[in-house]
Amino acid sequence: MLKTKKMIPLAVPHMSGMEEKYIQKAFQENWIAPLGSNVDGFEASIASYNHVSEAAVVSSGTAAIHLALQLLNVGAGDTVFCSTFTFVASINPALYLGAKPVFIDSEEETWCMSPFALKTALEDARQKKQLPKAIIVVHIYGQSAQMDEIIALANEYGVPIVEDAAEALGGTYRNAPLGTLGDLGIFSFNGNKIITTSGGGALVAKQPEKIAEARFLASQSKEDAPYYLHHQVGYNYRLSNVLAGIGIAQMDVLNDRVAKKQEIFAAYESGLTDVPSVVMMPELDDATGNRWLSTMTFCVDEVGKTPEMVMELLRGKGIDSRLLWKPMHQQPLFQDAPFYADEAGDVATKLYETGLCLPSSTQMTQEEQEYVIEAVKNILSK
C-alpha cells in the first residue's frame, strides 16, 4: 500500500523541460513585453494544431471570451445564452458588457449543453422577439457537446456560437478540433489546464479578419498612426512574450498530455467498474475528449455519503479531489437569471449533487492512481 507523505493533487502544471530555451530567447532578444517572436510562434503553433489560419493569444481565457463577445457586438441589454454547468469565467465577460445571461441546462449524454433545453430557450426568445446575441457552449471537463444539434439550432435562429474550449484543447468532434466548430472559439492556458503558460488564453475564428480585430482590441485599440490615436475602447489583453515562450514548449507535448489524460481516465474506468454506484463521465461515439479531469458520479442514497463527505474522506487519506461545478443558475450572483432545464429535469444540479473530480495530474504515478482507486472503492463500498 502506498504511504503518501504529500497530497496527491487534482491537477498541477507540468513543464516539458524545453520552456527555458524560449524564455531565454525572449531575454536575449530583449523583448519581454507583449508581441515578439515567441508570441508569433505560439500563435502559429495553436493555429496549425487546430487547423485554422489564425489565432490570437491573450492574457487569459476570460479575456478571449470577452473579446469574442465584443466581436459579436454584444452590449448592454442584450442576452447571452450559456451552459449553466461551468465555471463563472464562462459568463462574467457578458456581464462586463452589460448583457444578461440566460442559462441552459446540461444533458445526461455529455454533461454539456442540452440541445433540448437550448431549443426551448430559443423558441421562447423568438416568441418574445429577444433572441440572444450569442450562445456560449462549454465543452466541460474537455468533453464535446453535441455540436451538430447545437449548430443546427444556432443556424435556424441566426445566433452565433462561441465555443468555450478552455478545458478542451486537444479534444475533437467528428475529427474536428474542439473550439473550431463555432463562429469563435477560445482556449485557456491557466495553471491547471492540460498545457499552461501560467496564465493565458487564445482566440480562434472561422473568419480570419476577426482575429486581426481581436488583436487590435487586445492592444488598447491603438490605431496605426505616428502618435497614440484611439477611436474606440480597447483592452490590455496581449500575452507576454515570455509566457508565449512557455506556450511554444507546451504545445510540443500536448498530444502526449492528451494521451496520458485518456490513460488516467481509462484506469479509473477499469478500476472502479465493480463499484455499482459509480458512473464515469460519458463521451459521444463521434467525439474524443482530452479527459482534462477524470470525473464521476455515484448514487448518494446507495452509498449514504454526499460528494462533499467523500471529498473530505479522501483528503484524510492524502488525496485531493473536487466537487463538480456548481451550476450558474444556482449561484447568488445569477439568482434572477432565467434557466431552461433539460427534458430529464435539472441535470446540472443533479451532477453537482452526485459527482466528484478525481486526481488527474499527468505526473501521477501508477502506484498513486491505484492508491486513489482503492481509497474510492473503500469509501463508496461502506
Side-chain angles (χ1 to χ4, degrees):
M1 179 63 70
L2 176 72
K3 292 183 179 180
T4 179
K5 294 182 180 180
K6 60 181 181 179
M7 187 74 67
I8 299 175
L10 187 73
V12 293
H14 183 191
M15 295 294 99
S16 73
M18 295 300 294
E19 288 81 6
E20 191 172 351
K21 179 181 77 170
Y22 294 100
I23 294 170
Q24 188 62 34
K25 179 183 177 184
F27 279 88
Q28 288 172 345
E29 294 175 350
N30 197 30
W31 205 280
I32 308 302
L35 306 182
S37 61
N38 282 344
V39 169
D40 295 341
F42 190 26
E43 289 183 335
S45 181
I46 294 167
S48 175
Y49 186 90
N50 290 289
H51 310 304
V52 296
S53 60
E54 294 281 346
V57 293
V58 292
S59 56
S60 67
T62 307
I65 295 174
H66 190 191
L67 291 171
L69 296 180
Q70 185 90 346
L71 292 171
L72 295 175
N73 298 313
V74 173
D78 292 331
T79 57
V80 172
F81 287 7
C82 185
S83 306
T84 190
F85 191 56
T86 185
F87 181 52
V88 71
S90 298
I91 197 63
N92 268 341
L95 303 187
Y96 303 164
L97 295 167
K100 301 174 182 178
V102 173
F103 293 113
I104 311 299
D105 200 5
S106 296
E107 60 168 1
E108 294 174 340
E109 293 83 353
T110 63
W111 296 12
C112 298
M113 183 177 282
S114 159
F116 175 90
L118 177 61
K119 181 176 178 61
T120 302
L122 286 169
E123 287 177 348
D124 196 17
R126 181 157 63 184
Q127 289 178 4
K128 296 176 180 177
K129 297 183 179 180
Q130 294 178 341
L131 284 170
K133 274 290 190 71
I135 299 168
I136 303 175
V137 179
V138 182
H139 298 304
I140 205 69
Y141 299 124
Q143 308 304 307
S144 177
Q146 302 221 44
M147 291 305 294
D148 280 355
E149 290 87 344
I150 290 170
I151 290 171
L153 285 168
N155 290 340
E156 178 184 348
Y157 288 86
V159 183
I161 291 175
V162 175
E163 273 184 273
D164 182 346
E167 303 167 356
L169 181 63
T172 64
Y173 178 79
R174 298 192 186 279
N175 296 317
L178 297 180
T180 67
L181 295 131
D183 298 88
L184 295 148
I186 74 97
F187 305 106
S188 171
F189 310 119
N190 192 28
N192 63 355
K193 296 301 186 290
I194 195 161
I195 64 168
T196 182
T197 57
S198 175
L203 180 71
V204 296
K206 287 190 177 299
Q207 299 173 298
E209 61 271 22
K210 291 291 187 184
I211 297 303
E213 189 177 350
R215 291 194 184 109
F216 172 73
L217 290 169
S219 304
Q220 301 286 20
S221 296
K222 181 182 178 299
E223 302 287 348
D224 186 12
Y227 54 92
Y228 290 103
L229 178 64
H230 309 273
H231 291 298
Q232 62 188 97
V233 173
Y235 310 96
N236 183 20
Y237 279 170
R238 292 314 308 268
L239 186 67
S240 153
N241 196 45
V242 175
L243 297 186
I246 297 174
I248 294 173
Q250 290 276 291
M251 286 296 294
D252 287 342
V253 297
L254 175 55
N255 286 337
D256 292 338
R257 296 282 168 78
V258 173
K260 181 61 177 178
K261 291 280 191 178
Q262 292 170 340
E263 179 185 315
I264 289 168
F265 183 92
Y268 279 128
E269 195 167 42
S270 174
L272 296 173
T273 190
D274 58 349
V275 184
S277 70
V278 169
V279 177
M280 299 299 293
M281 184 180 187
E283 182 176 76
L284 296 171
D285 290 338
D286 48 8
T288 302
N290 69 5
R291 298 299 188 186
W292 170 57
L293 288 182
S294 290
T295 57
M296 68 174 193
T297 58
F298 60 91
C299 180
V300 172
D301 291 339
E302 181 179 325
V303 172
K305 300 180 182 74
T306 65
E308 191 168 0
M309 291 167 65
V310 174
M311 181 176 67
E312 289 306 313
L313 289 168
L314 288 172
R315 179 170 290 276
K317 295 177 178 290
I319 299 168
D320 193 17
S321 61
R322 180 195 291 170
L323 302 178
L324 300 187
W325 297 122
K326 183 170 184 175
M328 290 298 99
H329 73 278
Q330 298 280 9
Q331 301 285 349
L333 177 62
F334 301 115
Q335 60 184 346
D336 297 324
F339 166 69
Y340 288 85
D342 181 66
E343 57 189 328
D346 188 343
V347 172
T349 297
K350 180 181 178 182
L351 291 170
Y352 167 68
E353 292 175 345
T354 61
L356 208 62
C357 304
L358 299 173
S360 306
S361 171
T362 53
Q363 292 180 295
M364 181 171 56
T365 66
Q366 180 179 344
E367 185 181 21
E368 287 174 330
Q369 187 171 14
E370 289 172 354
Y371 174 74
V372 174
I373 289 170
E374 285 305 309
V376 171
K377 289 171 69 173
N378 290 335
I379 290 170
L380 295 183
S381 297
K382 292 181 179 179

